[in-house]
């Protein structure tokens, strides 16, 4: 079955916002086993939008549109789709009620008239409730084709797709599609790809596809079968083979589990407490950890010691160390981690100090040089990295590598080493 994406919004054409919806929807459609040969972006113009929908229906079984479902005059996706599908708009009382409840719960007393535009739906269409906003999703079916309309904001679109559209599309498929994501940290993309080249070369069902993330590699295994049980049976041997090849470098086979979550889980299982001591990352590592619900069970404190004065005052880094070796050095990272654990009474402390740029580098210490250290059970492990890219990229890589180092040290303390 072929699917096509149409992203709606003049702001996308102008580059004012990044089209993350297309990336998300493409990945989800691939997961469903749907073929996708075309994507397009159309501005807020009803005539051009209707033309794009008509063209897409001529070559695809399913057309998914995101954006243009809001209450303003330039939100025209619904109107264009209704015209093409020949489904006149009429008010849906259920949707109007949900909109009223949404504003009431948000503490908004005055609802302007244009908001009720979102309660107008194509007659005969399937209304998909929006749990995170006011614009409902819509499924329009005609002559064996489907047009699916989704709201533009990702925090509305993604939950709606996962809850309602994914199951709908899955039912249209003659076979059940099932997948598993094997997540790897601490190994480079090229190395991982080399290690699985033989599996990719002879793959049939299931299939194996690598995805490079910042500091990680994800491997998606996808199987087709008559039912979910049979599909999972096909996936298991592939997971076993990958575990055999990559061992503890695999941190999760849960689609939704992040590296930070896996690290916190290890800390909880071993009843260890954690402190972070950051310089160049400015609290990004602590933020990544505290993004995880329940982090407070193990995460004691995050120290951002950006200046030398702060390193001395909060982490007791020696004045002579900073003078003789500099803030960006193996010795400073080591003292930050060791003293961070001591002053906060934590079992573990991970430290980061480096030069994120774009200025501040030298021939001896170039931009991208980052030291990090992990203190655990009175043992301090220090790593030196040389990252490349923008300031943002260097800081992001530093956070991922720090989580990887932390995970490695915990496993090593168990007698395992990844």
């Amino acid at each position: 079955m072929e699917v096509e994406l149409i992203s709606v919004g003049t702001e996308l054409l102008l580059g004012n916002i990044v089209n993350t919806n297309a990336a998300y929807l493409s990945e989800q459609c691939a997961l469903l086993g749907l073929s996708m040969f075309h994507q397009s972006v159309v501005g807020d113009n009803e005539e051009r939008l209707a033309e794009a929908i008509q063209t897409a229906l001529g070559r695809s079984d399913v057309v998914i549109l995101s954006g243009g479902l809001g209450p303003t005059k330039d939100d025209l996706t619904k109107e264009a789709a209704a015209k093409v599908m020949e489904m006149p708009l009429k008010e849906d009382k259920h949707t109007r009620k949900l909109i009223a409840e949404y504003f009431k719960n948000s503490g908004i007393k005055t609802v302007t008239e244009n908001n009720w535009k979102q309660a107008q739906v194509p007659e005969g269409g399937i209304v998909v409730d929006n749990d995170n906003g006011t614009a409902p999703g819509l499924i329009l079916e005609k002559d064996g084709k489907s047009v699916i309309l989704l709201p533009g904001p990702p925090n509305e679109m993604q939950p709606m797709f996962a809850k309602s559209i994914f199951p709908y599309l899955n039912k249209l498929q003659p076979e059940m599609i099932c997948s598993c994501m094997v997540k790897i940290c601490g190994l480079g993309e090229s190395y991982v790809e080399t290690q699985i080249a033989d599996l990719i070369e002879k793959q049939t069902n299931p299939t194996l596809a690598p995805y490079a993330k910042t500091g990680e590699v994800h491997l998606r295994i996808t199987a087709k079968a008559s039912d979910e049980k049979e599909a999972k049976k096909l996936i298991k041997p592939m997971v076993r083979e990958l575990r055999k090849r990559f061992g503890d470098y695999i941190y999760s086979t849960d689609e939704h589990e992040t590296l930070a979550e896996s690290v916190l889980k290890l800390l909880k299982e071993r009843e260890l407490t954690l402190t972070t001591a950051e310089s160049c990352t400015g609290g990004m590592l602590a933020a990544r950890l505290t993004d995880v619900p329940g982090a407070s069970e193990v995460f004691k404190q995050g120290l951002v010691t950006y200046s030398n004065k702060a390193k001395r005052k909060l982490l007791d880094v020696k004045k002579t160390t900073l003078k003789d070796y500099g803030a960006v050095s193996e010795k400073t990272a080591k003292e930050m981690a060791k003293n961070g654990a001591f002053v906060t009474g934590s079992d573990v402390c991970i430290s980061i100090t480096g030069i994120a740029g774009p200025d501040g580098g030298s021939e001896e210490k170039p931009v991208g040089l980052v030291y990090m250290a992990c203190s655990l059970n009175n043992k301090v492990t220090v790593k030196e990295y040389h990252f490349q890219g923008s300031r943002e990229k260097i800081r992001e890589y530093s956070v991922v590598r720090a989580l990887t180092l932390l995970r490695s040290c915990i496993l090593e303390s168990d007698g395992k080493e990844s």
Side-chain angles (χ1 to χ4, degrees):
M1 185 163 59
E2 293 182 19
V3 63
E4 184 162 338
L5 297 185
I6 300 176
S7 302
V8 183
T10 302
E11 67 276 11
L12 294 171
L13 287 174
L14 296 175
N16 297 137
I17 62 172
V18 178
N19 193 357
T20 57
N21 283 353
Y24 172 83
L25 291 169
S26 298
E27 188 175 16
Q28 293 301 306
C29 288
L31 175 58
L32 283 159
L34 300 169
S35 299
M36 186 182 298
F37 304 115
H38 301 278
Q39 289 187 23
S40 59
V41 179
V42 183
D44 300 306
N45 179 281
E46 188 173 347
E47 186 179 335
R48 285 192 286 273
L49 190 49
E51 183 183 349
I53 296 170
Q54 195 73 62
T55 301
L57 285 171
R59 61 195 178 197
S60 302
D61 305 296
V62 178
V63 181
I64 303 176
L65 297 98
S66 63
L69 298 182
T72 60
K73 288 182 180 180
D74 63 345
D75 291 309
L76 300 164
T77 301
K78 182 172 53 184
E79 288 74 11
K83 184 183 291 184
V84 172
M85 299 296 278
E86 298 179 336
M87 295 178 172
L89 295 173
K90 62 176 290 188
E91 185 173 273
D92 180 59
K93 291 180 179 178
H94 171 70
T95 300
R96 185 181 177 100
K97 181 184 176 183
L98 290 181
I99 292 171
E101 288 177 355
Y102 180 88
F103 282 114
K104 182 181 178 182
N105 294 334
S106 300
I108 300 172
K109 295 179 180 179
T110 304
V111 182
T112 56
E113 191 59 34
N114 58 352
N115 283 288
W116 303 121
K117 173 190 171 188
Q118 295 176 305
Q120 296 285 321
V121 304
E123 191 171 4
I126 301 169
V127 179
V128 181
D129 291 345
N130 186 343
D131 298 330
N132 300 282
T134 54
L138 294 161
I139 301 172
L140 313 181
E141 298 174 324
K142 187 178 181 182
D143 300 331
K145 305 268 187 172
S146 297
V147 175
I148 299 171
L149 312 183
L150 298 169
N155 60 358
E156 296 180 31
M157 185 277 289
Q158 292 185 18
M160 182 184 291
F161 188 93
K163 180 181 177 182
S164 304
I165 307 304
F166 191 100
Y168 169 80
L169 291 172
N170 209 13
K171 285 180 182 178
L172 298 181
Q173 288 282 73
E175 294 178 294
M176 167 65 71
I177 308 294
C178 194
S179 75
C180 172
M181 187 71 89
V182 176
K183 298 185 175 184
I184 296 170
C185 66
L187 295 175
E189 179 191 2
S190 56
Y191 176 82
V192 171
E193 191 170 352
T194 301
Q195 295 303 305
I196 61 171
D198 61 315
L199 298 177
I200 291 178
E201 189 176 336
K202 64 183 181 183
Q203 66 183 354
T204 51
N205 186 26
T207 58
L208 181 64
Y211 297 85
K213 306 290 180 180
T214 301
E216 301 181 33
V217 181
H218 295 180
L219 303 175
R220 185 182 290 285
I221 308 167
T222 306
K224 293 183 181 180
S226 56
D227 56 48
E228 187 177 3
K229 185 178 179 182
E230 285 302 310
K232 286 183 176 179
K233 225 185 250 190
L234 291 169
I235 287 172
K236 278 184 179 178
M238 182 70 82
V239 174
R240 280 199 300 269
E241 181 59 31
L242 292 175
R243 286 196 182 280
K244 192 189 301 182
R245 297 187 184 199
F246 298 111
D248 286 330
Y249 287 106
I250 296 175
Y251 72 82
S252 182
T253 56
D254 182 339
E255 172 87 28
H256 304 291
E257 184 175 32
T258 65
L259 180 56
E261 285 177 300
S262 73
V263 169
L264 288 168
K265 187 187 292 183
L266 288 176
L267 290 165
K268 287 177 187 177
E269 288 171 354
R270 289 150 184 78
E271 298 182 344
L272 297 171
T273 55
L274 171 69
T275 285
T276 57
E278 302 178 66
S279 184
C280 64
T281 46
M284 287 174 64
L285 176 58
R288 185 70 58 87
L289 290 162
T290 54
D291 278 343
V292 180
S296 58
E297 292 179 40
V298 294
F299 185 68
K300 290 190 75 169
Q301 195 166 344
L303 300 170
V304 179
T305 54
Y306 211 63
S307 66
N308 284 357
K309 186 177 180 180
K311 290 178 180 67
R312 289 173 54 199
K313 183 178 179 181
L314 299 176
L315 293 171
D316 202 25
V317 176
K318 294 174 184 175
K319 188 175 182 179
T320 52
T321 298
L322 294 167
K323 183 181 178 182
D324 296 343
Y325 299 94
V328 181
S329 64
E330 178 180 340
K331 195 160 178 60
T332 295
K334 187 174 183 179
E335 288 185 26
M336 287 172 68
K338 186 177 180 180
N339 297 346
F342 177 76
V343 298
T344 62
S346 296
D347 301 304
V348 191
C349 181
I350 183 90
S351 68
I352 306 174
T353 181
I355 305 168
D359 304 315
S362 65
E363 188 174 338
E364 184 184 353
K365 295 183 179 182
V367 169
L369 173 64
V370 178
Y371 289 96
M372 51 191 73
C374 181
S375 174
L376 172 60
N377 293 335
N378 296 317
K379 178 183 176 182
V380 183
T381 303
V382 186
K383 294 285 184 180
E384 177 183 331
Y385 294 100
H386 292 264
F387 301 122
Q388 294 184 339
S390 65
R391 178 181 178 83
E392 181 184 5
K393 202 71 174 175
I394 290 168
R395 280 154 54 97
E396 178 66 21
Y397 267 115
S398 297
V399 169
V400 176
R401 290 301 185 199
L403 288 169
T404 302
L405 173 60
L406 178 52
R407 180 177 178 273
S408 176
C409 289
I410 295 169
L411 293 176
E412 187 180 347
S413 71
D414 291 343
K416 290 181 174 183
E417 184 172 4
S418 64

